[in-house]
Amino acid sequence: MKRPLAAASLAVLAIVLSACGQVQQAAEKAVNDGASQVATAAGSEIKKQACSLVEDGLVSVQDKKALGALVSGAQGAGVPAEITTPLKQIADSGDQVPADSVKALRDACAK
């Protein structure tokens, strides 16, 4: 009589463990989906800010500092290279902001 009880216990345990695995997978998917949505929103906001700073084609010292502050966030948020590359070039430039980088960023913003 002990064997059927043990077999039933193992069957119940297998079902519980299976359900736990499904719950864990669902939780992981929800977390990943949420993280993806946050990254997308962050990337959109960073792009919006960068684009507003170069909209007029002029980059002041203040604009350059603000653009520089956006670089690491943009790269971490998965902003496309067509935005991050000129953004980084502008941030890394010295006293003279490269006009071609500003144009490239403006062109990418227009898309």
Side-chain angles (χ1 to χ4, degrees):
M1 286 291 185
K2 288 185 179 182
R3 285 186 187 211
L5 183 58
S9 295
L10 286 176
V12 169
L13 180 61
I15 291 170
V16 169
L17 290 177
S18 174
C20 287
Q22 290 172 349
V23 169
Q24 182 180 355
Q25 288 175 347
E28 288 173 357
K29 183 180 181 328
V31 167
N32 290 338
D33 289 350
S36 177
Q37 289 174 352
V38 169
T40 299
S44 294
E45 183 60 29
I46 290 168
K47 179 181 175 184
K48 178 180 158 188
Q49 289 179 17
C51 291
S52 71
L53 291 169
V54 297
E55 187 173 38
D56 62 1
L58 303 173
V59 178
S60 68
V61 173
Q62 290 299 101
D63 293 342
K64 185 176 181 258
K65 286 180 184 177
L67 290 168
L70 295 174
V71 172
S72 64
Q75 292 170 331
V79 175
E82 64 183 349
I83 299 284
T84 58
T85 299
L87 186 61
K88 184 162 177 26
Q89 291 168 343
I90 293 167
D92 290 345
S93 67
D95 294 338
Q96 193 70 17
V97 174
D100 57 333
S101 296
V102 174
K103 181 180 179 334
L105 183 54
R106 289 183 71 212
D107 290 348
C109 289
K111 293 181 182 177

